[in-house]
Amino acid sequence: MKITDKKGVKVTPEMIGLFFEDINFAADGGLYAEMIENRSFEAKEAFGTPGNFYSVDDNGYAWKPYTAGGLDKPRMQYIMGTPLSEANPHYLRFTATEAGQGFSNKAYDGIRLHKGMKYNVSFYARCVEYTGNNFIISVNKDGKIYGKASVEAVKAIPYIPFSDLKIDMEQKDPVISAQIEKIKQLDTEKMSRCNDWIKYDVVITADNDVSGADFTISLDGAGVIEFDLISMIPEDAVDGIFRRDLFEALAAIKPGFIRFPGGCIVEGISLENRYRWKRTVGELKDRKYIPNLWAFDDDRSKEGWDVKRPDSHYGQSFGIGFYEYFILCELLGAKALPVLSIGTACQFRSTQLVTSDSKEFDEYVQDALDLIEFANGPVSSKWGALRAQMGHPESFGLDMISVGNEQWESKYVDLYKRHQIFEKAIHEKYPDMKILGTAGPFLDSPITKDGWDFYNHEFKKNPNTCYAVDEHYYVSPQWMYDHVDHYDDYPRDIAVFAGEYAAHTEKKENSMESALAEAALLTGIEKNADVVKLASYAPLFNRIGHSQWKPDMIWFDDEKVYLTPNYFVQQLFANHVGDETIPMDGQEKELRKDGIYVSLSRTNNGETILKAVNVNDSEYTLPLTDYEDVPVEAIGHAWVLEGTGEIPDGMPEITDVRQTNLQIIGDVTIPAQSFMVIRF
């Protein structure tokens, strides 16, 4: 293979990124480090199939009474009246008849503690009538306590009319008079006003390792206490938000961008269920909990109103909201790419929408403008002030935004008109903002071609109409091999965002079979870096035992992270992005006939990066010459991804990346069934 001295096309440094959607417990129970499930007593249970969706309140989900050896059980009521926040109106009214009673949370597959680690616990409580003095917080399993702390209860000052007068006034009613006198005798310095919610913070240190344990709050006396927003987060959570091992897995990729908050959940199963970014910022207590779209079964072959998924209580607490997504991007050094609804529910599931000529639709457009202000606006602006109040007065530097997800033009959805309205409104106020459009849910279809026809037609009138079009494809490995050159003949006017893609084997496994196909496709994408500006595998996360979709890039449970071969492909491409491609003048097409897929790029300091996929069952020797046909002699480094063939039941194939120093004398050897990156 001749490595010429020609210059190819520039590669955007942010080309390889991440697509985050709250699916497979990616946020709550995943990247969000919160350990308590249904912390605000707002859980819903989801039922039905497309067209027949509904949910019912199940406020006590994940909670149960706790007794320390007593026979009596406490009373647990989930009530409304004077909530911590109107956004989440339910809270727990707990009645203990004796000391030692409490209530427990099962958490996500149970609480896991690591010996010696500290865990930050917080909750809001209101003492209605309490004879005890403390709240005892513990983590326990099978009668054994693995971590414990207590906090003094703040009791409420009793109230009856005229008990809080600043002047003396004789009471004619002897009963009231006696009660007032009793209140006056109290030491109220550490007491709260009646009905005030008090926030408690306490730290638990794990005495030992444990998994599958319960989180418990118990009382040391009888009484009636109301509780809300109960939280437990490990002290090592990144920025107090993100589960550290999952964050570190993302950081190792060095992603160029993050697309968030998802795909289908952006629209929701209905307009009411859609993702509203303004409800995900501000204080945690004011973020309205909703059922997750992926809690609802989308299998159209099922019948009946009571169909439900195993994880029918899957919800969104929005502990990771739009502010946290921007923080995540900042921590990872990635560009933010938020996706906004264009006024339709998910087209796969519903025909609900607001018409594009309605005042309701204007609100969706305003949401986009306000989001840009939230991300970039000065602290003197309404939404910039909120960002500053949340702890980030500096701009997040947002420079691109995606309008819609997988929509297509239909009898009901006037996608193209909606895009035009969004584009005009955004660019009138923010002319430099890059706007991404959507071309439906898959390639090789009339609706995709129709979408591209629209964008290309609009481009002739308005070159600013669309920076890139979002394409999605979940396809067989063979499709990817057959379409490595898919973007060779694309027009270069409007860019492509390969926003969701993955190779799906027959068993939909995360395996070398799928990973090599994705690596092969990426060689073609990298070669066409002048048209494909952004690319992200999907989905990102999968909590084992809580899957709504497979395959996925990163698997995890309550303790470990399992990196898939598909993950390593993304990591290697993202970690080894050149500044410009090296033209191969058709050599790559000849190599494909031998089952070898390659791309070449060069850094600004003259380093050559060769990426090579060998799909054969035997190793392959690839000759290397320079532009004068002289065999290459160089010292370099190589990263080799190989599989073990070991795929544990229901798990990804076990793989790893081997890094070596490499001496090149005229050729390189690419192992069988491998993906290799060479820098020299």
Side-chain angles (χ1 to χ4, degrees):
M1 181 177 182
K2 180 185 288 189
I3 302 174
T4 73
D5 60 349
K6 297 178 183 178
K7 290 188 175 183
V9 298
K10 291 188 180 301
V11 183
T12 55
E14 65 269 16
M15 172 184 274
I16 305 299
L18 301 173
F19 164 51
F20 186 98
E21 177 159 17
D22 192 357
I23 185 174
N24 305 329
F25 282 47
D28 291 316
L31 183 62
Y32 186 35
E34 177 62 73
M35 303 175 76
I36 304 300
E37 191 170 6
N38 188 25
R39 65 183 180 185
S40 293
F41 307 102
E42 296 294 343
K44 318 284 184 187
E45 187 165 21
F47 293 92
T49 54
N52 290 333
F53 290 129
Y54 69 99
S55 65
V56 297
D57 288 345
D58 192 3
N59 306 99
Y61 172 73
W63 298 95
K64 65 181 180 181
Y66 169 84
T67 57
L71 297 177
D72 291 340
K73 283 191 175 181
R75 185 184 191 189
M76 299 178 70
Q77 298 170 284
Y78 306 98
I79 66 172
M80 298 186 293
T82 51
L84 178 63
S85 171
E86 293 292 342
N88 296 299
H90 295 92
Y91 50 96
L92 169 63
R93 184 177 175 91
F94 181 80
T95 303
T97 59
E98 60 185 8
Q101 293 179 342
F103 54 99
S104 298
N105 186 267
K106 74 178 185 66
Y108 300 94
D109 303 320
I111 294 286
R112 176 177 286 277
L113 298 183
H114 297 277
K115 184 177 180 180
M117 183 177 285
K118 292 180 170 58
Y119 298 82
N120 299 316
V121 175
S122 67
F123 58 92
Y124 287 83
R126 182 164 56 198
C127 292
V128 179
E129 184 181 294
Y130 188 28
T131 63
N133 296 308
N134 299 288
F135 301 132
I136 298 93
I137 298 90
S138 64
V139 173
N140 48 78
K141 181 180 181 181
D142 299 331
K144 183 178 178 180
I145 293 177
Y146 290 84
K148 183 178 180 180
S150 66
V151 60
E152 185 178 357
V154 176
K155 298 184 181 181
I157 303 169
Y159 177 76
I160 60 173
F162 312 117
S163 62
D164 57 349
L165 289 176
K166 293 182 178 180
I167 61 174
D168 290 331
M169 185 173 78
E170 183 180 355
Q171 300 294 329
K172 295 180 180 180
D173 187 327
V175 174
I176 291 180
S177 180
Q179 290 177 337
I180 290 176
E181 189 58 34
K182 187 176 181 180
I183 292 172
K184 287 182 176 180
Q185 300 303 315
L186 293 174
D187 179 2
T188 59
E189 185 178 343
K190 293 184 178 180
M191 300 179 75
S192 68
R193 190 174 63 169
C194 187
N195 287 330
D196 279 355
W197 286 99
I198 305 299
K199 187 180 182 185
Y200 295 85
D201 294 282
V202 66
V203 175
I204 289 181
T205 301
D207 298 327
N208 217 326
D209 293 340
V210 69
S211 62
D214 288 338
F215 168 90
T216 299
I217 296 179
S218 56
L219 312 184
D220 62 3
V224 180
I225 317 288
E226 293 170 344
F227 292 91
D228 207 351
L229 194 57
I230 302 170
S231 172
M232 180 175 178
I233 293 181
E235 68 166 352
D236 71 340
V238 176
D239 215 39
I241 304 165
F242 307 108
R243 179 172 149 174
R244 178 163 293 277
D245 54 357
L246 295 181
F247 175 89
E248 289 175 348
L250 300 183
I253 293 176
K254 300 178 182 176
F257 69 91
I258 303 177
R259 173 186 174 220
F260 62 87
C264 293
I265 68 164
V266 171
E267 290 89 21
I269 61 160
S270 64
L271 294 178
E272 178 60 30
N273 182 242
R274 74 186 188 275
Y275 199 105
R276 308 186 200 195
W277 77 263
K278 291 177 180 176
R279 293 186 178 183
T280 75
V281 295
E283 292 189 52
L284 289 178
K285 67 181 180 62
D286 297 321
R287 303 185 187 184
K288 182 178 176 62
Y289 178 100
I290 64 170
N292 191 302
L293 170 140
W294 295 104
F296 297 87
D297 201 310
D298 59 355
D299 186 345
R300 295 178 183 273
S301 68
K302 296 179 181 178
E303 297 180 356
W305 288 91
D306 294 330
V307 171
K308 64 178 182 178
R309 288 190 190 270
D311 283 309
S312 57
H313 292 89
Y314 188 9
Q316 293 180 273
S317 72
F318 300 112
I320 295 181
F322 260 55
Y323 177 80
E324 288 76 19
Y325 283 122
F326 282 121
I327 291 294
L328 178 64
C329 292
E330 190 169 82
L331 290 172
L332 294 177
K335 286 195 170 190
L337 177 52
V339 186
L340 293 183
S341 169
I342 59 169
T344 72
C346 176
Q347 273 184 276
F348 277 103
R349 296 165 171 86
S350 175
T351 57
Q352 277 196 31
L353 52 77
V354 296
T355 59
S356 57
D357 56 358
S358 66
K359 290 183 178 179
E360 290 81 6
F361 180 74
D362 293 343
E363 294 178 12
Y364 287 79
V365 178
Q366 190 62 47
D367 279 350
L369 299 176
D370 291 343
L371 174 61
I372 298 170
E373 182 177 287
F374 177 76
N376 297 348
V379 296
S380 57
S381 65
K382 175 183 176 180
W383 294 102
L386 178 59
R387 182 191 70 243
Q389 181 184 325
M390 295 183 71
H392 201 285
E394 304 82 12
S395 166
F396 281 118
L398 177 68
D399 67 356
M400 55 183 176
I401 192 168
S402 196
V403 175
N405 167 73
E406 288 189 347
Q407 276 80 39
W408 59 91
E409 186 83 1
S410 74
K411 177 180 178 180
Y412 301 106
V413 178
D414 49 350
L415 168 63
Y416 308 146
K417 179 181 177 182
R418 290 166 190 257
H419 181 90
Q420 289 171 325
I421 294 171
F422 268 88
E423 186 274 325
K424 181 180 179 183
I426 292 171
H427 281 150
E428 279 182 353
K429 192 168 184 180
Y430 303 103
D432 296 328
M433 186 60 59
K434 297 173 184 174
I435 299 176
L436 283 73
T438 180
F442 33 71
L443 297 180
D444 300 334
S445 74
I447 58 175
T448 304
K449 180 182 182 302
D450 191 56
W452 270 105
D453 287 346
F454 162 75
Y455 293 113
N456 286 321
H457 179 266
E458 284 296 297
F459 182 84
K460 294 175 183 177
K461 298 184 295 180
N462 175 17
N464 215 19
T465 188
C466 186
Y467 168 68
V469 176
D470 187 6
E471 294 188 341
H472 296 178
Y473 36 102
Y474 299 99
V475 293
S476 69
Q478 191 58 52
W479 187 97
M480 289 191 171
Y481 291 128
D482 294 342
H483 291 80
V484 170
D485 59 356
H486 180 73
Y487 294 109
D488 285 6
D489 299 323
Y490 264 48
R492 263 49 186 170
D493 295 333
I494 300 175
V496 170
F497 170 30
E500 296 182 31
Y501 68 87
H504 283 195
T505 65
E506 286 188 12
K507 294 183 179 180
K508 293 188 176 180
E509 292 176 321
N510 283 103
S511 62
M512 283 297 291
E513 180 185 359
S514 58
L516 290 178
E518 290 153 8
L521 179 73
L522 282 171
T523 63
I525 284 178
E526 185 173 86
K527 172 193 169 187
N528 289 285
D530 57 332
V531 66
V532 186
K533 301 292 187 181
L534 306 163
S536 50
Y537 179 99
L540 178 58
F541 283 125
N542 174 30
R543 182 165 186 137
I544 297 168
H546 301 279
S547 304
Q548 293 88 43
W549 184 287
K550 293 178 183 177
D552 311 282
M553 192 197 300
I554 299 171
W555 293 39
F556 66 96
D557 54 26
D558 62 339
E559 181 185 18
K560 295 180 180 178
V561 175
Y562 304 87
L563 301 177
T564 66
N566 316 77
Y567 168 91
F568 289 118
V569 166
Q570 298 296 316
Q571 182 191 44
L572 288 171
F573 265 90
N575 280 207
H576 303 285
V577 177
D579 295 297
E580 63 183 20
T581 63
I582 299 174
M584 291 178 284
D585 301 327
Q587 297 177 92
E588 76 282 5
K589 295 182 180 180
E590 291 301 311
L591 285 169
R592 289 175 202 161
K593 296 176 183 178
D594 292 335
I596 305 298
Y597 299 81
V598 298
S599 65
L600 279 172
S601 62
R602 183 181 289 115
T603 66
N604 288 335
N605 63 9
E607 189 176 20
T608 296
I609 304 174
L610 166 65
K611 300 183 180 77
V613 179
N614 179 5
V615 302
N616 300 295
D617 292 328
S618 57
E619 65 182 30
Y620 186 91
T621 300
L622 179 66
L624 295 179
T625 62
D626 65 15
Y627 62 94
E628 294 181 335
D629 281 332
V630 175
V632 171
E633 294 190 12
I635 300 296
H637 302 277
W639 293 260
V640 184
L641 171 65
E642 295 178 279
T644 62
E646 183 180 351
I647 306 178
D649 187 34
M651 294 289 288
E653 180 172 350
I654 297 173
T655 50
D656 203 357
V657 174
R658 174 168 47 89
Q659 181 178 351
T660 62
N661 295 324
L662 187 70
Q663 184 174 9
I664 301 172
I665 306 178
D667 58 48
V668 294
T669 299
I670 309 166
Q673 293 287 316
S674 73
F675 170 48
M676 190 172 187
V677 177
I678 300 169
R679 299 183 72 130
F680 61 93

